[in-house]
Amino acid sequence: MASSIIWFSVFLCSFLFQYLLFFSPNFKGVLGQSSPVFACDVASNTTLSSFAFCDTSLGVDARVADLVKRLTLPEKIGFLVNNAGSVSRLGIPKYEWWSEALHGVSYVGPGTKFSSLVPGATSFPQVILTAASFNTSLFEAIGRVVSTEARAMYNVGLAGLTFWSPNINIFRDPRWGRGQETPGEDPVLSSKYGSGYVRGLQQTDDGDKNKLKVAACCKHYTAYDVDNWKGVDRYHFNAVVTKQDLDDTFQPPFKSCVIDGNVASVMCSYNQVNGIPTCADPDLLAGVIRGEWKLNGYIVTDCDSIDVYFKQQHYTKTPEEAAAKAILAGLDLNCGSFLGQYTPGAVQAGLVKEADIDRAISNNFATLMRLGFFDGDPSDKPYGKLGPKDVCTSENQELARETARQGIVLLKNSPGSLPLSPTAIKSLAVIGPNANVQKTMIGNYEGTPCKYTTILQGLSASVTTNYVPGCANVACGTAQVDDATKIAASADATILVMGADQSIERESLDRIDLLLPGQQTLLVTEVAKAAKGPVILVIMSGGGFDITFAKNDTKITSILWVGYPGEAGGAAVADVVFGQYNPSGRLPMTWYPQSYVDKVPMTNMNMRPDPSNGYPGRTYRFYTGETVYSFGDGLGYSAFNHKLVRAPKLVSIPLEEGHVCHSSSCKSLDVVEERCENLAFDIHLGVKNMGRMSGGHTVMLFSSPPAVHKSPQKHLLGFEKVFVSARREALVKFNVDVCKHLSVVDELGNRKVALGEHVLHVGRLKHSFSVRI
């Protein structure tokens, strides 16, 4: 009887707890769950309904104008910083602008935190591996998941609505510690990744471009890709960039982010470009981002950038001048406190007008209006019902695994190596400092993941494994060669999991060489010598390595690059290793030999080669030297054949009568709107899976333009990811816009269509055609 009473009491307490949890907001607060931060809480304060900025029937501009005119100058200045002030008389609470979502909701930045209520969020692979999937629909799908989880966390007071992601800088130099955060070295891939991820984050279910699910931010604008190399750091670096390189390499991803992605924010960088700090450059900010590209949103500094250009770059004599320079250049929001401290003095000194501050905060408020921040209680609005149950769902976690599978790149595969048969392999030796790591798999700008599956765990789920780390960590000061060779000698197959982690490459830390750290090379070589079965080398890293030794070692039968593969990385690697998934990833960056970095300083921003001094150029578009692996490299378990179904032999460009090129020889034509309208053609390609295994295949369409204006050797026009069943064929179509896809940028930064013979490449297939007037 006593036990029945106790059981009933427990049941009753549990019932009351659940009831209070779901129906009493005050009780939730006691548990540490707070409600979302929002303005215009008319339900709690009916006087707010008289303010036009709280009236959702009005347009954004009218609401913003009404709000700005009600603010005092000190209140306005409080809205120029990321930790924005509150105005209680107007029902406006404090708001923290700084949250991050590079590859999942992150705990970096004060705007987001995890708690017992939401202990983790889905952690997708680091961006460089996601980019290797070359799958635009996947980029967008990840963004949708991240924004849903972000909204769910916002609804319980754990996150904001403004996320400073993605990083779309070009991975120009293989030593860059932040290359892992980017989509790689190609402007087209970076553009498609950036605009796709942004659409996934921002687009609301009704498709209204004036509304935002969350607000994304494309960073770091511009020509930013040196963090800390041999004493040169990002706070002091002046990127000397030609107009040609700026407009055909560094700017296109940002342009696409704003125009194609409709991004709500752009972040300016720490570095100078040609002697001017980017956050104080009116041409780059007001001129290009807002003037040419028509940004609908706000421009924000990287954190403390104004402080950096005042104190470390000594760009202005006084802090008030530094504040004024930023605001007058077109900046709207300061990550940091600088504008809060020094804008009052700048106004007093006549360096900046109140109207300039009005413009800046109007852009900030307009973004919050589009997010619904000024629409009152979000619980009865779109996404208001999302909560902890919508974070780390099984579907979201499966998408993280699928993303890693699609990105993993098979770089080498000897006959009889991969895939391994889980039934034939009775013992698997697993060796290496990255074989059983957790946090390494999620890279930087990370959040707490839902759970981890390490590579060792993933492999052990299918076969019996014997594990030796081989090194204490990736630095691998002393390799435990004897222990490793012993298990490899008796195993049916050996998997070595080597590479890097954040101690080797990260923000504020660039590499100085491209070799595997410490004694990793020794460990790999000795294990390969001793192993009796296939030897699979797995490289976990953001940047590439000079692994020529492994490429040429016949005892190393397969090589996989797995990036930083996210929370489900181990399961994804096992799926590829055991043939449950046919690898289809392609390298989004060139892997250079060590000799490249021995002779090329990281600080030389020039993309194009210079034969006069032996400078070899950068990235597959311009680099003239030897590579270890090239951009776009990657194998699968099936061979794919391409055949040309439809393509032109001649493209004619209409020219107005009297144009100079009718009477004299021209190498190129200016890209002008009237000439370019409807000037396009279709390419149709047959893609056949020749193997016995169905799988995805990345079709990459390159063009080699005529050699004018120091044009690229070849450049990517577009790509498509297709799934082709075994022994079956698919048709892939590309629409080539002549002025957009076949143009090059001349020495003055003007876009031109090159006249003459162009060559299209898809795999080994080549097709020549002429562009004439």
Side-chain angles (χ1 to χ4, degrees):
M1 181 69 181
S3 62
S4 299
I5 292 169
I6 292 168
W7 180 89
F8 180 74
S9 300
V10 170
F11 170 79
L12 187 62
C13 288
S14 175
F15 175 80
L16 287 169
F17 178 84
Q18 295 295 330
Y19 179 86
L20 287 166
L21 185 63
F22 284 98
F23 296 104
S24 171
N26 293 331
F27 186 71
K28 291 177 185 177
V30 171
L31 292 177
Q33 175 185 355
S34 55
S35 41
V37 177
F38 61 93
C40 296
D41 188 0
V42 175
S44 299
N45 183 356
T46 54
T47 60
L48 299 178
S49 62
S50 64
F51 297 145
F53 70 82
C54 291
D55 184 350
T56 57
S57 70
L58 298 176
V60 167
D61 291 347
R63 296 174 72 188
V64 168
D66 177 74
L67 172 54
V68 171
K69 77 179 183 186
R70 296 177 186 276
L71 298 171
T72 65
L73 179 60
E75 287 169 345
K76 290 174 181 179
I77 291 169
F79 291 107
L80 290 172
V81 293
N82 64 288
N83 186 17
S86 62
V87 183
S88 55
R89 66 186 175 84
L90 298 178
I92 303 172
K94 286 181 74 67
Y95 178 72
E96 176 54 66
W97 285 81
W98 181 7
S99 289
E100 302 276 356
L102 182 68
H103 52 103
V105 179
S106 169
Y107 47 55
V108 176
T112 303
K113 58 186 178 291
F114 293 94
S115 73
S116 57
L117 193 66
V118 181
T122 308
S123 190
F124 289 90
Q126 184 61 292
V127 175
I128 193 73
L129 188 72
T130 297
S133 73
F134 282 83
N135 186 342
T136 53
S137 61
L138 183 63
F139 305 157
E140 203 163 317
I142 295 167
R144 284 195 298 273
V145 165
V146 174
S147 59
T148 294
E149 295 196 346
R151 270 281 177 176
M153 291 177 68
Y154 165 75
N155 288 340
V156 292
L158 293 174
L161 293 169
T162 45
F163 291 84
W164 293 347
S165 306
N167 178 344
I168 53 166
N169 293 118
I170 294 294
F171 197 171
R172 174 187 61 91
D173 189 288
R175 292 162 285 195
W176 188 32
R178 301 189 76 175
Q180 59 180 298
E181 302 172 30
T182 75
E185 71 181 35
D186 180 72
V188 170
L189 174 58
S190 297
S191 296
K192 287 183 179 289
Y193 175 83
S195 59
Y197 187 60
V198 165
R199 281 192 297 271
L201 287 173
Q202 293 193 166
Q203 278 186 350
T204 55
D205 294 345
D206 63 6
D208 185 343
K209 287 195 172 180
N210 286 316
K211 293 179 184 173
L212 295 165
K213 189 178 176 187
V214 302
C217 173
C218 288
K219 62 187 188 185
H220 311 81
Y221 180 86
T222 184
Y224 164 65
D225 50 24
V226 172
D227 262 64
N228 192 347
W229 178 77
K230 294 188 175 181
V232 179
D233 71 40
R234 59 187 176 168
Y235 306 120
H236 299 88
F237 182 55
N238 176 27
V240 178
V241 186
T242 67
K243 184 67 175 146
Q244 185 173 31
D245 285 342
L246 191 67
D247 286 348
D248 91 338
T249 295
F250 299 109
Q251 294 291 68
F254 290 98
K255 182 177 182 179
S256 177
C257 224
V258 174
I259 294 174
D260 304 323
N262 193 32
V263 76
S265 177
V266 174
M267 176 184 285
C268 52
S269 52
Y270 290 114
N271 57 290
Q272 296 185 353
V273 173
N274 299 327
I276 305 173
T278 62
C279 293
D281 191 330
D283 292 334
L284 285 176
L285 303 189
V288 175
I289 299 177
R290 201 167 297 281
E292 290 179 29
W293 300 343
K294 312 297 181 193
L295 173 73
N296 181 13
Y298 68 101
I299 300 173
V300 61
T301 68
D302 204 339
C303 295
D304 296 318
S305 287
I306 308 173
D307 189 74
V308 164
Y309 74 64
F310 170 62
K311 288 182 181 170
Q312 301 194 46
Q313 297 174 11
H314 308 295
Y315 188 65
T316 62
K317 288 195 173 78
T318 69
E320 290 78 16
E321 287 174 322
K325 285 268 189 194
I327 293 168
L328 294 175
L331 190 83
D332 303 309
L333 188 72
N334 170 208
C335 176
S337 58
F338 198 93
L339 288 186
Q341 285 178 266
Y342 297 109
T343 303
V347 174
Q348 204 170 1
L351 299 171
V352 71
K353 298 184 181 70
E354 186 169 354
D356 300 314
I357 296 164
D358 290 351
R359 173 203 50 77
I361 62 171
S362 292
N363 291 326
N364 301 339
F365 286 140
T367 304
L368 291 176
M369 294 277 180
R370 294 169 66 203
L371 285 161
F373 184 81
F374 286 92
D375 293 354
D377 188 349
S379 64
D380 60 351
K381 308 289 190 307
Y383 312 111
K385 297 291 185 277
L386 295 172
K389 70 182 187 310
D390 301 295
V391 183
C392 285
T393 64
S394 57
E395 295 84 3
N396 294 356
Q397 293 187 64
E398 180 55 33
L399 187 63
R401 181 173 179 169
E402 174 62 19
T403 303
R405 281 193 293 236
Q406 288 199 30
I408 289 169
V409 182
L410 179 63
L411 291 170
K412 175 183 178 180
N413 201 27
S414 306
S417 186
L418 289 178
L420 300 179
S421 164
T423 52
I425 299 291
K426 303 301 180 192
S427 64
L428 180 67
V430 181
I431 299 164
N434 276 339
N436 201 33
V437 289
Q438 293 185 338
K439 200 159 183 229
T440 299
M441 295 199 304
I442 59 174
N444 67 352
Y445 280 83
E446 75 286 7
T448 305
C450 311
K451 63 179 183 184
Y452 286 107
T453 304
T454 70
I455 291 180
L456 178 63
Q457 288 170 334
L459 297 169
S460 300
S462 294
V463 297
T464 301
T465 56
N466 198 356
Y467 163 62
V468 168
C471 306
N473 49 46
V474 292
C476 201
T478 305
Q480 288 100 49
V481 174
D482 292 346
D483 293 344
T485 54
K486 186 177 175 183
I487 66 166
S490 60
D492 295 332
T494 298
I495 294 183
L496 287 144
V497 190
M498 315 303 288
D501 64 13
Q502 302 304 302
S503 71
I504 304 293
E505 52 177 359
R506 67 172 188 274
E507 185 172 12
S508 300
L509 180 64
D510 300 321
R511 291 188 285 163
I512 55 170
D513 66 48
L514 301 180
L515 304 174
L516 287 174
Q519 293 193 346
Q520 285 193 34
T521 299
L522 171 69
L523 180 66
V524 171
T525 304
E526 292 303 313
V527 166
K529 277 185 203 167
K532 75 167 186 178
V535 177
I536 294 100
L537 174 61
V538 176
I539 302 290
M540 188 183 291
S541 70
F545 284 99
D546 183 348
I547 52 168
T548 306
F549 79 95
K551 183 180 180 181
N552 296 336
D553 188 339
T554 55
K555 286 284 286 175
I556 297 170
T557 54
S558 299
I559 301 174
L560 287 167
W561 175 69
V562 302
Y564 294 119
E567 64 169 42
V573 170
D575 291 338
V576 169
V577 164
F578 295 119
Q580 283 141 17
Y581 192 86
N582 193 345
S584 60
R586 298 289 181 267
L587 285 182
M589 73 298 201
T590 302
W591 286 32
Y592 299 86
Q594 173 62 23
S595 58
Y596 175 76
V597 298
D598 288 339
K599 63 187 177 191
V600 175
M602 194 172 172
T603 48
N604 187 330
M605 299 294 290
N606 290 328
M607 298 301 297
R608 288 158 167 81
D610 185 349
S612 71
N613 60 17
Y615 181 71
R618 295 183 178 277
T619 77
Y620 81 94
R621 295 163 68 227
F622 303 106
Y623 175 59
T624 54
E626 295 294 314
T627 63
V628 180
Y629 289 106
S630 300
F631 175 88
D633 277 359
L635 307 167
Y637 297 148
S638 299
F640 287 83
N641 278 2
H642 307 105
K643 71 175 179 187
L644 197 61
V645 176
R646 177 178 174 183
K649 277 290 199 182
L650 174 67
V651 174
S652 295
I653 299 178
L655 273 190
E656 60 274 19
E657 279 186 46
H659 192 283
V660 65
C661 291
H662 282 304
S663 54
S664 60
S665 177
C666 291
K667 291 182 177 179
S668 63
L669 294 170
D670 287 323
V671 168
V672 291
E673 200 171 327
E674 57 272 19
R675 189 178 297 149
C676 294
E677 200 171 347
N678 301 321
L679 194 58
F681 59 88
D682 289 331
I683 301 283
H684 292 186
L685 293 158
V687 180
K688 186 167 185 182
N689 183 343
M690 308 300 289
R692 290 176 292 186
M693 191 173 179
S694 300
H697 178 62
T698 300
V699 183
M700 304 169 79
L701 179 64
F702 293 95
S703 168
S704 291
V708 296
H709 305 302
K710 299 180 183 174
S711 59
Q713 303 169 106
K714 68 173 185 176
H715 61 122
L716 188 64
L717 302 190
F719 55 88
E720 288 291 334
K721 187 89 169 207
V722 290
F723 184 87
V724 189
S725 299
R727 312 286 192 192
R728 302 299 291 270
E729 199 166 347
L731 185 69
V732 178
K733 299 177 183 179
F734 290 96
N735 183 258
V736 178
D737 180 313
V738 172
C739 291
K740 181 179 178 182
H741 296 123
L742 297 183
S743 59
V744 296
V745 174
D746 72 7
E747 294 79 355
L748 300 175
N750 301 310
R751 199 158 272 282
K752 308 257 191 173
V753 176
L755 298 174
E757 186 177 69
H758 293 245
V759 181
L760 296 176
H761 312 244
V762 178
R764 294 193 197 92
L765 183 70
K766 291 187 180 181
H767 171 75
S768 299
F769 65 98
S770 289
V771 176
R772 296 181 192 159
I773 57 172

